[in-house]
């Protein structure tokens, strides 16, 4: 099996990448990144919300629509983050992994030796699963915020 396709090396590459290491950050820097992405998402959502609801006339609707649009963009970013970590989770936890020797047409299956499987599953349990749990909680908070926005929209 090529070294760069071994699950442990893929995990290390993901962990060191600029985008995917967001999931490994401590709670405060993680929240700062989430808020930063949400605030910058207003650059796209704000003009759309302003075109739909003039801020001078319908300020509450403008804020709610802009916040929902920014949250949608943030959700797409977080889905990408989740999918990357979930892919690594499945590669590390499976006893057999598929890899390509020289291209898509000659894939092979590699049965992990017991030592490698044990090591990979330990990494999955203590390193990757906490990241996936954090992302699940983040999605839950975003869902609560969106539902709250919908309720407030009905009241306004």
């Amino acid at each position: 099996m090529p070294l760069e396709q071994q699950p442990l090396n893929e995990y290390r590459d993901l962990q060191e990448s600029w985008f995917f290491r967001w999931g490994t950050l401590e709670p405060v820097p993680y929240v700062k990144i989430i808020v930063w992405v949400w605030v910058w998402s207003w650059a796209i959502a704000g003009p759309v919300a302003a075109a739909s609801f003039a801020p001078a006339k319908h300020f509450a609707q403008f804020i709610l629509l802009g916040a929902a649009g920014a949250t949608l963009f943030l959700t797409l970013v977080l889905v990408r983050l989740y999918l990357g970590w979930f892919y690594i989770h499945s590669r590390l936890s499976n006893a057999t992994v598929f890899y390509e020797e020289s291209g898509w047409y000659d894939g092979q299956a590699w049965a992990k030796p017991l030592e490698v499987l044990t090591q990979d599953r330990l990494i999955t349990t203590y390193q990757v699963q906490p990241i996936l749990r954090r992302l699940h909680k983040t999605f839950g908070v975003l869902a609560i915020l969106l539902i709250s926005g919908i309720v407030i929209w009905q009241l306004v």
Side-chain angles (χ1 to χ4, degrees), residues 19 21-41 74 77-78 81 131 134-135 137-139 141-142 145:
F19 177 70
R21 76 180 157 96
W22 290 0
T24 65
L25 296 174
E26 294 295 322
V28 172
Y30 173 76
V31 170
K32 284 182 181 180
I33 289 281
I34 297 300
V35 170
W36 181 83
V37 170
W38 185 80
V39 167
W40 278 100
S41 299
L74 174 62
V77 169
L78 290 172
L81 190 66
I131 294 168
R134 174 189 281 177
L135 289 167
K137 289 177 186 176
T138 305
F139 287 127
V141 168
L142 291 177
L145 291 174

Side-chain angles (χ1 to χ4, degrees), residues 95 110-120:
W110 176 55
K112 294 180 187 176
L114 184 57
E115 304 83 33
V116 172
L117 180 61
T118 304
Q119 176 188 15
D120 287 357

Side-chain angles (χ1 to χ4, degrees), residues 92-95 116-126:
L92 287 169
S93 60
N94 289 340
V116 172
L117 180 61
T118 304
Q119 176 188 15
D120 287 357
R121 288 189 175 165
L122 283 171
I123 290 171
T124 299
T125 301
Y126 293 105

Side-chain angles (χ1 to χ4, degrees), residues 2-89:
L3 283 176
E4 67 274 0
Q5 292 185 42
Q6 290 181 4
L8 183 59
N9 292 331
E10 290 176 328
Y11 164 72
R12 289 180 181 144
D13 288 343
L14 198 73
Q15 193 178 30
E16 294 170 2
S17 76
W18 173 80
F19 177 70
F20 288 102
R21 76 180 157 96
W22 290 0
T24 65
L25 296 174
E26 294 295 322
V28 172
Y30 173 76
V31 170
K32 284 182 181 180
I33 289 281
I34 297 300
V35 170
W36 181 83
V37 170
W38 185 80
V39 167
W40 278 100
S41 299
W42 267 89
I44 298 169
V48 172
S52 301
F53 295 100
K57 288 184 177 181
H58 306 286
F59 187 70
Q61 287 89 349
F62 164 73
I63 292 295
L64 289 171
L65 185 61
T71 303
L72 176 64
F73 183 77
L74 174 62
T75 301
L76 293 175
V77 169
L78 290 172
V79 164
R80 178 63 188 114
L81 190 66
Y82 179 83
L83 290 174
W85 282 107
F86 185 77
Y87 172 76
I88 290 300
H89 175 272

